[in-house]
Amino acid sequence: MFDNISAKLYEVMRKIKGTGVITEKNIEDALKEIRMALLEADVSYKVVKAFIDSVKTKALGEVVLKAISPGQQFIKIVNDELVSFLGDAEKPLDYSKQPLLILLVGLQGSGKTTIAAKLARFLKTEKNFKKLLLVGADTYRPAAKDQLKKLASTIDVPFYTEDHNDAIKIVQNAYTLAQDELYQAVIFDTAGRLHIDEDMLAELKKMKALIPFTEILLVADSMLGQEAVNIAKGFNEALGITGLVLTKVDGDSRGGAALSMKYITAVPIKFMGTGEKLEKFEYFYPERVASRILGMGDVVSLVEHIEKTVAIEDAQKAEAKFRKANFNLEDFLEQMQAMKKMGPMEDLLKMIPGGAQLGNINIDEKHMKSLEAIILSMTPKERNHPEIINDSRKKRIAKGSGTTSEKVNKLLKQFAQARKMMKQMSRKKHGKPSFPGMPF
Ligand SMILES: Nc1nc2c(ncn2[C@@H]2O[C@H](COP(=O)(O)OP(=O)(O)O)[C@@H](O)[C@H]2O)c(=O)[nH]1
Ligand SMILES: [Mg+2]
């Protein structure tokens, strides 16, 4: 799943990733392509519109246009919106009450019976449930009960059904049995139809009225296209589902159903079926899925990393000061320390797209450390007015920092040069701040 949409979005993101200056036009163009990619992946029109509008509002805000690396900031916004459209956090089952009563609903062939057995296996092996019951309440298809019975025996979980066609009676009796015998969890497999069908919904509604289900999970084939919306809506309006289970995620579906159904129902996608075998069952992690769709996990973590350590405002303040050319060694020290907080330069470089190829930009951390030591050995007055540093001060600073007078001299010279250049640049009112002659 998602391969197609992923390839398309990756291309859009790749184009915008390294963009140093971003305009409204860049954003509009990227959004147009994202819109196409989503529609081609069969995401519902309504959901595509909501998604694009939401990204647009955020992307045209101050943050992107003023960010240090706007292209990457934009990718982070798209990623965050994807996560939010897929559900903000994985929602496990509610284990607080026992017996855990799980009703599985969905169209015929969606994978309910398979999921019933997968869930039972999961509760047994991963959650250590000792007393589990699988209930065959699909009285619509002749072989349905047998199918579940066979699966139940392969995982050694008790199976319950009755030999008649009254599904409601079967469900009721199974519930009574679960209470009497203190079962910890009961999973009810029900009948589906090829389409949303009034009889089917009426039967399920009756079950819901009789039994206090902990979860009503809609099992849905991830191959569903535009009709996913109506199916999700139909089941949700009739039953008030508590979660979604996406099946056949291993297939070559385009992934649109996942985005659409979560948005339309506002209930979390709790699990995914990723194959016919019973162990092919996973939690649905919105973050992981979003990063698989975008293929830009690295960029997102880089932006998060930088956001965490250097507030954008701080960087802007420093930049403004630099432009005014009253940037002094105190500010220089602050900048260096802020960079240090971000972790080893090499790790940081690795996270920058293409950063691994920047091997020839040699950031000598030892050199940075000795520069820092020199500045730290200065008095605040010296840092603010480096011109007062005479030979005897130089000697004292060299001694304090464990360096030499020559090194102190070199730093002061480079700094004076940099400042001079900055003054010229700001007089011309252009040019990006940098540290000419400095190690970065
Ligand atoms: N590849 C794949 N096949 C699945 C998956 N889940 C179910 N199936 C297959 O889909 C078909 C219908 O599943 P079933 O559980 O009988 O659906 P139900 O009619 O809703 O009970 C069966 O052949 C299953 O083996 C899955 O996650 N991946
Ligand atoms: Mg079935």
Side-chain angles (χ1 to χ4, degrees), residues 107 109-114 118 141 147 248 250 273-276:
L107 295 188
S110 61
K112 289 178 300 304
T113 305
T114 311
K118 283 178 175 181
R141 270 202 316 188
Q147 185 193 351
K248 307 182 196 177
D250 51 313
T274 56
E276 290 192 57

